[in-house]
Amino acid sequence: AAQYRLSPAALQLTASACETMAKQAGRNFANGRSVRNFFEATVRRHANRVSALAELTKEQLEELEDVDIPRELEPYLGR
């Protein structure tokens, strides 16, 4: 299994997004599904970003950066 970690900036954005999603949650809010979708979209963006690098380090493969956070989540990110 992949071992990802969030950079400090990505951690801050993720915490902000989760907090905002929870506050805006309606009665039928599916928290687990929303977080899984958020994570999967972030990993896809990360994969696209690092695939363009000539040489990769283990750290680059494992660390999710703020630029990996999907733009469609902007309303939740507090940027």
Side-chain angles (χ1 to χ4, degrees), residues 10-70:
L11 179 60
Q12 183 177 5
L13 286 174
T14 300
S16 174
C18 289
E19 184 177 320
T20 302
M21 282 190 273
K23 284 180 183 175
Q24 294 179 357
R27 187 165 192 221
N28 295 319
F29 180 67
N31 186 42
R33 184 178 333 130
S34 297
V35 172
R36 184 190 73 229
N37 291 342
F38 178 93
F39 174 73
E40 289 174 351
T42 300
V43 170
R44 276 193 304 276
R45 286 180 58 92
H46 171 260
N48 288 333
R49 178 176 61 82
V50 298
S51 69
L53 301 175
E55 292 188 31
L56 293 171
T57 65
K58 182 178 180 196
E59 183 175 281
Q60 288 170 317
L61 288 171
E62 293 177 346
E63 188 167 73
L64 301 173
E65 302 277 344
D66 59 326
V67 296
D68 300 324
I69 305 296

